[in-house]
Amino acid sequence: QVQLVESGGDLVQPGGSVRLSCAASGSIFRIYDMGWYRQAPGKQRELVAVITRSGITNYTDSAKGRFTISRDNAKNTVHLQMDSLKPEDTAVYYCNANVRLTVLLSRRDYWGRGTQVTVSS
């Protein structure tokens, strides 16, 4: 029904930058909040950043000032620009979207398969 495909994961040095992208496809009536989560080895998945359809953003404290989330509603895409990366940012990053498939159906969350970001010298 809905597919979220992430791209942009990479191996970068501390202080470097990475730009993640996520494209949603399928029979979609409307996408509401879109966000990025991450999961490091041995840890629970955590919210990194979220953006509403109108562009209001929210970040976890560790991402504030370093990461920027953006979206293109016409293309059903969301991006995460990550700067000043630290080793503790190493994780699999997952795209999330809250989607309504038709005007009659309830909204529900969809997830991508994840993209690996490794920050290491």
Side-chain angles (χ1 to χ4, degrees):
Q1 292 177 325
V2 176
Q3 279 193 321
L4 300 180
V5 179
E6 303 103 332
S7 61
D10 204 353
L11 168 63
V12 297
Q13 292 187 342
S17 298
V18 167
R19 179 176 172 83
L20 303 182
S21 296
C22 172
S25 62
S27 180
I28 297 170
F29 172 70
R30 185 166 293 161
I31 301 178
Y32 297 89
D33 291 358
M34 300 186 81
W36 289 94
Y37 289 70
R38 67 186 179 188
Q39 187 166 18
K43 295 187 177 182
Q44 289 189 331
R45 190 175 298 188
E46 64 173 356
L47 173 67
V48 177
V50 64
I51 184 168
T52 69
R53 184 171 179 82
S54 61
I56 298 171
T57 60
N58 193 31
Y59 298 89
T60 189
D61 285 345
S62 63
K64 290 178 181 177
R66 300 189 299 126
F67 296 0
T68 303
I69 189 171
S70 61
R71 67 187 286 173
D72 184 331
N73 290 333
K75 296 181 179 180
N76 288 340
T77 57
V78 63
H79 308 281
L80 185 68
Q81 177 67 40
M82 302 191 293
D83 299 318
S84 302
L85 284 162
K86 305 174 181 179
E88 51 263 43
D89 295 317
T90 295
V92 178
Y93 284 72
Y94 296 92
C95 175
N96 170 270
N98 187 254
V99 179
R100 190 188 298 273
L101 297 180
T102 75
V103 67
L104 297 178
L105 293 176
S106 300
R107 296 157 54 170
R108 59 155 287 190
D109 283 339
Y110 291 86
W111 293 87
R113 293 187 173 185
T115 186
Q116 177 72 44
V117 174
T118 302
V119 185
S120 175
S121 55

